[in-house]
Amino acid sequence: MAMAALRREGRRFAPLLSPRPIAAVRSSLVSEEDIPFGARSISTQVVRNRMKSVKNIQKITKAMKMVAASKLRAIQIRAENSRGLWQPFTALLGDTPSVDVKKNVIVTVSSDKGLCGGINSTSVKISKALYKLNSGPDKETKYVVLGEKAKAQLVRDSKKNIELTISELQKNPLNYTQVSVLADDILKNVEFDALRIIFNKFHSVVSFLPTMSTVLSPEIVEREAEAGGKLGELDSYEIEGGETKAEILQNLAEFQFSCVLFNAVLENACSEQGARMSAMDSSSRNAGDMLDRLTLTYNRTRQASITTELIEIISGASALEG
Amino acid sequence: MVIIPATTGQMGVLPGHVASIAELKPGVLSVHEGNDVTKYFISSGFAFIHGNSYADIIAVEAVPLDRIDAGLVQKGLAEFTQKLSSASTDLEKAEAQIGVDAHSALNSALTG
């Protein structure tokens, strides 16, 4: 016990031993600066350093999880309320994801920051699959990318198909004005027959499902209305006002796109926070496990060095006597 | 019953209304539930009246009337009228006109 106390204070156990030149015991994995000069025994410094850094990581990831949880609470209410924005459009126009059009534009919504699990990779995977699905003779598919993470992944192999990229969406809190300006931008600069918006819909804190919302251009709406189905009932609606049906449909399509995009962006932000929560949670749990294992190693090393010292002392003492 | 501010004027919607799509202009939306009337000022949007007596009203912004500040409305109206008279390009004229329309609708909503 006394030896352990002295060791903790970093002092040499000098009185019993003669001051002979000290050869420090070093393991091959250890560099010069890790072990204090003059240490005779197996050093626990390396393990101690690792334990310190793992403990720090655990604290940081735990803090990140708390931050993500609080952000999630704030944005979840807004996302759930924004669902009412696109529901009337679906009630009127139906949802036709399997519509066959010439010009498809895939709008991929992703996050700017990382450490949020696999949600961005799933969005990109689905966008690429959609691209392949919609490719064919005289069909054209383009990407519009929102968020840095999807941009980084898509730029690698589909650079020439990306029409527009937008980042730093969440610099200011998300609001409808910002999204409507964005939607306006996209509608003006990109020609489309159908817009397919890919995002992660927030179902619960642990489940986010990649979802695709389809917005059709007014011409395609007319075409599908003639073909029948849900859109066929569109003709039964009277158009109030002096505008022609085409003008109303144009306004409708634009408004629908901005509403759907607003909801998509909010849901994706929600999913991002939820995914980050669970990623940071598993990270801090892993760090905790690692810390436990390192503590065991540390104790073993410490006890081994104490035993070694004891053996040396005892054998030295018995050599002196005998 | 709801009274919606369509571009063609105030429109009253009762159950059994014919299915319609109406574009809305800035104005007052009043919801009559029995004897309760709740009034909202909406900036613009769409109203879908479905065949099964369901109406969906989608507005960009909807504010209960008691939350509107009359002083700011007057100031905004004056500002946009001035901008309209001094506007040079078509874009500026259109923007100023939209401001004037919205503010005068707000004004009449507060007074009317």
Side-chain angles (χ1 to χ4, degrees), chain A residues 134-154:
Chain A
N134 281 318
S135 57
D138 72 33
K139 278 207 213 173
E140 209 185 293
T141 319
K142 294 256 168 210
Y143 288 107
V144 170
V145 186
L146 269 74
E148 287 287 339
K149 293 284 151 191
K151 176 171 130 185
Q153 291 190 36
L154 282 172

Side-chain angles (χ1 to χ4, degrees), chain A residues 20 95 115 127 129 140 151 154 165 167 187 195 212 221 237 239 263 295 302 309 322:
Chain A
R20 23 179 215 278
D95 191 23
L115 294 180
S127 310
E140 209 185 293
K151 176 171 130 185
L154 282 172
T165 59
S167 45
L187 288 166
L195 283 158
M212 174 177 87
V221 171
Y237 284 82
I239 314 282
N263 181 64
T295 310
R302 189 176 54 85
E309 278 235 31

